[in-house]
């Protein structure tokens, strides 16, 4: 167990504390990958040798330091690879690290639903479940050719390997600065899906405006929904093309929200994060020859000039996308 997946239990609107908490992890290892808005992966292979402690012992020290120095508790999953550590995190509880040893990986995975596997979205899970492949144990036992017919050649091979405990992922050091976030807390726990969508619309338009002001585009979008019981759900989607176009970000945000299938969920806040920022000049825009799209983009340019001249609230949210 050399990889930790840590989720800090940050209060709403306290995401600015994440860089400092990443710095805490970097005191143990330089191989830290941010998982905004509130988590990180840490590779402790070198740290175990340097400090003469196991990953579980180091996890306990990290938890104590996070509480003592930042007043923030955390939940931790540990495993031999990033995939296993992230899945172990789902079963972790404050004060106790959920650890999966290397010889326990296949048994641990076997009972997990397919949707718990990182990278498996609602559509893929639905397709697999229609054929009775509702757990990773059943997916692991299925012939590779069957999986490839259901989800495609490359995706089928990756799914087969992961279900059998083969984790080719690695922790890639990065920084929070390669992303932008917009959070929309509710004044009370909100049940109304219409209000959820309006919050997402507002957040997507804010992200689009901030990206364009920085001359940046993003390659992915992450949605985090925080619930009344302090739990949270996070989903990520790669965009069809890098963009800073608010309507495109809004469509992706709505797609992420709808894929969650929330029913009567008491939502405390939604956080939308633009991931994988690149210079806008390096991005190629696919021409659509759609006069409506071109008109919206021209309106967007005018709105950006108004914001630059009169402030960020010069254009009301919801006027650029629906």
């Amino acid at each position: 167990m050399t990889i930790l997946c840590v989720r800090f239990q940050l209060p709403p609107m306290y995401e600015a504390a994440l860089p400092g908490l990443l710095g805490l992890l970097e005191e143990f290892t330089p191989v830290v990958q941010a998982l905004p808005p509130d988590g990180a992966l840490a590779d402790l292979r070198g740290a175990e040798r340097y400090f003469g402690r196991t990953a579980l012992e180091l996890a306990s020290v990290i938890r104590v330091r996070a509480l003592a120095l930042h007043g923030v508790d955390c939940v931790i999953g540990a495993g031999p690879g990033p995939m296993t550590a992230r899945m172990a995190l789902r079963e972790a509880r404050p004060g106790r690290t959920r650890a999966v040893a290397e010889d326990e990986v296949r048994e641990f995975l076997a009972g997990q639903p397919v949707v718990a596997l990182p990278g498996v979205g609602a559509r893929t899970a639905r397709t697999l479940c229609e054929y009775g492949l509702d757990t990773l144990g059943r997916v692991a036992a299925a012939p590779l050719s069957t999986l490839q017919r259901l989800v495609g050649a490359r995706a089928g091979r990756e799914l087969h390997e992961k279900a059998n405990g083969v984790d080719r992922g690695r922790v890639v050091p990065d920084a929070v600065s390669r992303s932008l976030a917009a959070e929309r807390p509710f004044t009370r726990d909100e049940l109304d899906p219409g209000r959820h969508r309006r919050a997402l619309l507002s957040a997507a338009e804010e992200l689009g405006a901030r990206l364009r002001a920085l001359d940046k585009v993003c390659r992915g979008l992450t949605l985090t929904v925080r619930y009344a019981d302090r739990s949270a759900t996070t989903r990520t989607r790669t965009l069809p093309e890098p963009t800073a176009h608010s309507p495109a970000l809004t469509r992706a945000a709505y797609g992420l929200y709808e894929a969650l299938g929330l029913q009567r969920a008491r939502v405390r806040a939604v956080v939308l994060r633009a991931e994988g920022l690149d210079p806008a000049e390096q991005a190629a825009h696919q021409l659509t020859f759609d006069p409506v799209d071109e008109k919206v983009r021209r309106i967007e340019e005018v709105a950006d000039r108004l914001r630059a001249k009169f402030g960020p609230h010069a254009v009301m949210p919801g006027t650029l996308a629906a």
Side-chain angles (χ1 to χ4, degrees):
M1 294 172 291
T2 58
I3 308 296
L4 298 185
C5 185
V6 184
R7 187 176 71 235
F8 299 103
Q9 297 188 304
L10 297 175
M13 304 300 290
Y14 199 57
E15 189 181 335
L18 184 58
L21 293 165
L22 294 179
L24 184 153
L25 294 177
E26 289 169 352
E27 295 177 6
F28 295 87
T29 173
V31 190
V32 176
Q33 178 180 344
L35 298 176
D38 56 6
L41 287 169
D43 188 333
L44 297 182
R45 276 176 289 194
E48 288 179 310
R49 293 191 296 269
Y50 182 82
F51 292 102
R53 297 189 179 188
T54 67
L56 287 179
E57 291 172 332
L58 292 174
S60 297
V61 177
I62 289 169
R63 178 179 291 109
V64 169
R65 289 194 180 183
L67 278 168
L69 300 177
H70 299 272
V72 174
D73 201 355
C74 58
V75 291
I76 303 176
M83 178 190 75
T84 311
R86 293 179 75 159
M87 294 183 69
L89 180 70
R90 294 167 61 95
E91 300 182 0
R93 296 293 180 268
R96 181 175 178 273
T97 300
R98 175 63 169 101
V100 180
E102 191 164 3
D103 58 357
E104 300 172 344
V105 171
R106 294 195 64 173
E107 180 181 355
F108 168 73
L109 294 176
Q112 299 286 332
V114 291
V115 74
L117 190 68
V120 174
R123 182 179 300 176
T124 300
R126 187 163 52 248
T127 299
L128 293 170
C129 290
E130 287 174 354
Y131 288 86
L133 303 175
D134 55 348
T135 66
L136 292 179
R138 292 176 177 174
V139 171
L144 173 60
S145 58
T146 299
L147 297 176
Q148 290 179 320
R149 282 198 302 271
L150 292 177
V151 300
R154 180 178 177 181
R157 183 174 296 279
E158 290 181 355
L159 181 61
H160 189 262
E161 288 184 347
K162 289 180 178 180
N164 280 282
V166 179
D167 186 358
R168 302 188 186 278
R170 60 191 182 94
V171 180
V172 181
D174 62 2
V176 182
S177 59
R178 284 187 57 80
S179 63
L180 291 175
E183 181 165 354
R184 293 295 183 270
F186 295 105
T187 54
R188 61 181 182 180
D189 299 333
E190 186 57 66
L191 290 166
D192 184 1
R195 292 183 179 273
H196 299 167
R197 289 173 65 89
R198 285 195 289 275
L200 289 174
L201 170 60
S202 172
E205 289 198 352
E206 178 190 325
L207 286 181
R210 290 168 62 188
L211 286 168
R212 295 189 298 274
L214 295 170
D215 290 325
K216 299 282 189 180
V217 293
C218 67
R219 290 183 278 108
L221 205 62
T222 295
L223 169 64
T224 299
V225 179
R226 304 185 192 279
Y227 305 107
D229 63 357
R230 297 181 179 272
S231 65
T233 302
T234 299
R235 292 289 185 271
T236 298
R237 175 170 295 182
T238 300
L239 300 174
E241 64 179 20
T243 187
H245 189 34
S246 292
L249 296 175
T250 302
R251 287 192 295 272
Y254 285 169
L256 286 165
Y257 174 80
E258 290 164 3
L260 293 177
L262 301 181
Q263 295 182 356
R264 303 292 296 172
R266 297 170 59 202
V267 176
R268 182 157 295 177
V270 294
V271 182
L272 204 59
R273 178 174 289 277
E275 307 276 7
L277 306 191
D278 291 317
E281 61 189 24
Q282 297 179 8
H285 168 52
Q286 181 68 42
L287 297 177
T288 64
F289 301 103
D290 180 356
V292 175
D293 180 70
E294 293 303 317
K295 180 180 179 181
V296 170
R297 289 179 183 272
R298 289 196 297 271
I299 294 173
E300 201 170 57
E301 292 175 2
V302 173
D304 289 341
R305 289 197 293 269
L306 289 173
R307 290 190 185 99
K309 185 173 182 179
F310 298 108
H313 301 296
V315 179
M316 294 297 292
T319 57
L320 302 181

